[in-house]
Amino acid sequence: MVDANFDISRPKRAIIGIVLLALSSLTVEAALAQSRPKVAAMVGARSGASWPLWIAKESGLYEKYGLNVELVYAVHPAPIAAIISGQAAMTSSGSDPALLAASRDPSLVILGGFMNKGTFAMIGSKTTTEMKELSGKKIGVGRVGDPPYHMAVSLVKKFGMTARDVQWVSIGVDAATRAAALQSGQVDAAMITAPAYFRLQAAGMPVLAVLLDYDDIYVSTYYLFRREALNKERAMALTFIKAHAEAIKRFYDDKTFATRVMIKQGAAKNVQDANQVYDLFHKARVLEPIPYALKGSVEAVVERQSQELKGADLSKMIDNSLVDQLVRERFFESIFGASIRDEQQRRQSQAFGR
């Protein structure tokens, strides 16, 4: 029997109340998002080097830490110019251009780095199957003096050769252009990054050497900010580093999401390519949970760019104090768990300025 005192309208009122509460929460969240000032972060490469920024954006981590971030893609030197002009708050930059820019403009500062390895590989022609066979041969690079050139020099040194033992051919910064030169026989080998070199490998061209196999060949990505990030904009800079650290945790925990983001951002053409790049990054632990700018990385840039950085005061260009602060606050332990302590201690000892 139905209770005579039962009010059938009460369940309806409860449902309406829940709906109104949910709408209210959404309205409040939307208002908070609109109230946060929008800041731009520059993305200079459609490659795995931008993965933490993409994941932070796609998974709402910027918003979680109080930032309303617009990611803007532009090729070098536009990202650095945007930081100097104040049009953007930060950019992830290759170590060489970041240090060169900071040496020329005191308004810039490097506040850490989340990558120290690169996915470049030396790919040979079908008639060049080993690194030692490159003596006297032609190697295609972007241009003589650019970072891939210096990476290639480091590789040939591993096999007993010097930069003068091979012929360097400047082809262009685009991996597809270098791949075409290799396939046409214009060069005997070329520095190609993943995923472009996967297709050459599938076509029968040998992988002569992979940078990921050499921990002492640094291919680093730094955080580049305006110097104000050390004082009046410090809170914002800290939230960027926090969001990217949690994005790196998401990367290692969620392959499906990470590869989907890479495809969406145009860094991989299909799932197969994205999976292969992901597996390379995951196996080699390419993305750094503890994002210090490392002493070895800085020294590698100074060696490569000795003329341009001659006399530069590196201590004024690189500041690891924000990462130190997050270590003291046990932020990285809160994200990655207590097991990160050994890696954290090791990276602290290897950080620039130690």
Side-chain angles (χ1 to χ4, degrees):
M1 294 180 62
V2 177
D3 187 343
N5 295 319
F6 178 74
D7 184 354
I8 196 169
S9 66
R10 280 185 294 178
K12 292 181 179 179
R13 287 200 301 270
I15 293 171
I16 292 171
I18 291 170
V19 171
L20 289 175
L21 180 61
L23 291 173
S24 174
S25 298
L26 290 172
T27 302
V28 169
E29 180 59 31
L32 286 173
Q34 290 176 357
S35 68
R36 300 183 189 115
K38 181 174 284 189
V39 295
M42 304 302 295
V43 176
R46 297 192 188 279
S47 69
S50 300
W51 235 324
L53 283 72
W54 294 333
I55 292 178
K57 181 66 175 178
E58 293 292 331
S59 57
L61 289 170
Y62 289 132
E63 290 78 6
K64 173 181 175 178
Y65 288 101
L67 292 173
N68 182 9
V69 175
E70 177 185 10
L71 293 183
V72 180
Y73 173 75
V75 297
H76 180 74
I80 294 175
I83 307 304
I84 293 172
S85 67
Q87 293 177 305
M90 64 80 61
T91 187
S92 55
S93 173
S95 54
D96 291 68
L99 273 170
L100 290 172
S103 71
R104 295 163 184 163
D105 192 319
S107 71
L108 298 173
V109 65
I110 292 160
L111 299 183
F114 61 84
M115 240 180 79
N116 290 296
K117 297 180 179 180
T119 59
F120 278 91
M122 184 72 78
I123 307 300
S125 65
K126 291 183 179 180
T127 58
T128 306
T129 59
E130 295 183 22
M131 282 291 297
K132 63 184 181 181
E133 296 174 357
L134 289 178
S135 181
K137 299 288 185 65
K138 297 177 181 179
I139 299 179
V141 293
R143 62 176 176 79
V144 174
D146 69 2
Y149 162 79
H150 287 292
M151 297 171 204
V153 170
S154 297
L155 269 182
V156 299
K157 285 181 178 179
K158 295 289 184 184
F159 294 86
M161 293 175 279
T162 70
R164 295 182 179 182
D165 292 327
V166 300
Q167 301 177 55
W168 302 100
V169 180
S170 298
I171 298 173
V173 297
D174 184 63
T177 303
R178 294 196 297 276
L182 181 61
Q183 290 173 305
S184 67
Q186 183 180 344
V187 294
D188 301 293
M191 289 293 287
I192 312 287
T193 191
Y197 83 72
F198 299 149
R199 287 181 282 279
L200 296 177
Q201 187 177 20
M205 293 188 170
V207 177
L208 307 183
V210 179
L211 287 186
L212 289 176
D213 293 336
Y214 301 94
D215 289 339
D216 58 344
I217 301 180
Y218 287 91
V219 185
S220 301
T221 299
Y222 292 158
Y223 289 128
L224 190 65
F225 285 81
R226 289 189 302 275
R227 190 160 294 278
E228 285 84 351
L230 288 170
N231 39 69
K232 66 181 182 180
E233 295 178 3
R234 189 178 184 90
M236 181 178 66
L238 282 166
T239 54
F240 267 109
I241 295 175
K242 287 180 178 180
H244 296 155
E246 191 164 344
I248 289 171
K249 175 67 161 57
R250 179 81 188 266
F251 168 85
Y252 285 118
D253 289 349
D254 194 341
K255 177 178 180 178
T256 300
F257 179 77
T259 53
R260 186 167 68 242
V261 168
M262 187 178 214
I263 295 169
K264 179 178 179 180
Q265 296 298 330
K269 292 183 178 180
N270 51 55
V271 173
Q272 181 180 359
D273 280 357
N275 282 336
Q276 284 185 281
V277 176
Y278 178 91
D279 290 342
L280 283 176
F281 270 61
H282 192 280
K283 181 179 179 181
R285 297 284 292 180
V286 171
L287 299 180
E288 299 271 4
I290 316 299
Y292 280 110
L294 300 181
K295 180 181 178 181
S297 168
V298 175
E299 290 175 344
V301 178
V302 172
E303 181 181 355
R304 293 192 292 259
Q305 309 292 346
S306 57
Q307 292 301 313
E308 289 80 358
L309 292 175
K310 186 177 181 179
D313 188 347
L314 298 175
S315 66
K316 293 182 179 179
M317 297 156 51
I318 305 160
D319 192 301
N320 278 314
S321 66
L322 276 76
V323 182
D324 280 334
Q325 178 179 335
L326 294 176
V327 168
R328 289 194 303 272
E329 294 171 357
R330 297 188 175 181
F331 171 77
F332 300 111
E333 291 180 43
S334 73
I335 298 299
F336 296 98
S339 61
I340 202 67
R341 289 174 186 167
D342 288 344
E343 183 174 352
Q344 182 172 271
Q345 186 175 13
R346 185 174 69 256
R347 285 312 195 199
Q348 268 188 305
S349 68
Q350 296 170 340
F352 176 81
R354 299 296 190 267

